[in-house]
Amino acid sequence: MTEGWTQSAFEALARVLGARAGLVFAPIRRADAEAGIRRAMARARITDVDHYLALVETGAITLDDLIDELTVRETYFFRDPAHFDLIRREVIPDVLRRRLGGAGLRLWSAGCASGEEAYSLAIVIENAGLAARTSILGTDISRAALIRARAATYGKWSLRGVDAEVVQRYFHHAQGRHRLDERIVERVAFEFLNLACDSYPSPPVWGMDLIICRNVLMYLDPRVIPCIARRLHATLAPDGWLLTGPSDPPLGDEAPFETIVGASGLHYRRAVARGRVFVELRGPLPSSPVTIEPGPSPAPTPPAEPLAEARAAFADGEWDRVARLTSNIAGAEAARLRIRALANSAGSEVAERALAHELELHPLSAELHFLHAILLQDLGRDGEAVHAVKRALYLDASLAIAHFVLGSILGRLGEVEAARRAYRNARVLADRRPPREALALGEGERAGELVLAVAAELARLGTHTQTEASA
Ligand SMILES: C[S@@+](CC[C@H](N)C(=O)[O-])C[C@H]1O[C@@H](n2cnc3c(N)ncnc32)[C@H](O)[C@@H]1O
């Protein structure tokens, strides 16, 4: 079997896939990858690979078809049963122990392929009697896989890991296929998300109690892994869990995870002592060539304006450098960067103490009061967090994200009516912005996404009160 590309255009196409999806093709997979590209070309009725490359590069042809051809989408229900045992026995009880006021559970299957993994979670949740208070999200880069996931109809092969009793209980057999019961199907939402290039955390991908991202990162360029690890970490709720697959790269050194070595492999948690991780979301990750060989050193970049340099250092996760670069810059924005970097390196407690000093210097900074609220809620000091976020809103009532955060804290405190009001304020403000506009003080959240997140939270508060009323 050939290990190289037969024409440079194939290599260039693979490079585009690396840059836009993080995919990497080891020499051993190149012949298969070429065959996949040829199939996509045949569907587009194009025979010349250079012409196909030109169309992909100019956007005349979307990458979707190529991505569907070139991603490995093998999956099945309850794949790696030890993980599901862990979820039943440890993850769910742990998350419930930490929940105050009956707040909902949030689970995410990242790289869900045709949905089997996300639906397996939904079955576990249904069996645990937690369906009404749990939201489950499945995301993938393959739109074809997402269509299959939403269709929720599977062949025998997808059910090879499932007990006959579960099949009997949750599937309807018709014409040789198995249709998942509607009550499980409706528990899972599926969305497109490119783990390598999209911005997250960002509604609906935020505050997850459990992320299960298995057998995905192993196909991605090692150079995009650290940034994905930081984003996954930032997407976890405090104390949330992340499970990866046995062949996925280890993430313990890439973000401040607590790594747990269990019978079912490595698991990660966002330890509460380290608190929130702030991320700077500045668009796609650096483009990633296909072969990973040491190249010439990059040309030196011209010196940047100090605050811009600090922002860039923050985006690269260089927390100590952020501290150095901002130490001589006055102003609330530098202080905010400094404190967020400190939270990421030393934890929320240390950062909150340092922020008290900054607030004395910048008492009229809405952004610092808002940051204070975020740190306080990470430390479980919700009562104080409400005051901090209200101070931020007193100084700048237009901060949609701050209204949203106020809503979620009030919801946790059981102040349902006030929470609803805060969420509605967030929606009114976000609605006024173009849907794709990133919101001020967010971690990449866009206006349209906040509107959706508000709808989900209002629906959840509605269900919760009805349940309380009928109890
Ligand atoms: C082998 S499947 C894993 C399915 C499931 N997680 C499991 O373990 O059974 C890998 C999935 O990762 C998806 N994927 C690959 N690159 C991705 C990216 N950059 N962003 C999101 N999903 C990606 C593929 O489309 C595919 O559906």
Side-chain angles (χ1 to χ4, degrees), residues 402-419:
H403 286 284
F404 186 87
V405 167
L406 179 60
S408 59
I409 305 173
L410 290 170
R412 274 201 302 279
L413 292 172
E415 295 183 36
V416 176
E417 213 23 72

Side-chain angles (χ1 to χ4, degrees), residues 21 72 74-75 79 111 113 117 140-141 193-195 214-215:
V72 177
E74 162 67 359
T75 184
R79 181 181 194 174
E117 185 177 80
D140 202 278
I141 197 174
L193 184 100
N194 178 344
L195 284 168
R214 305 181 307 164
N215 312 303

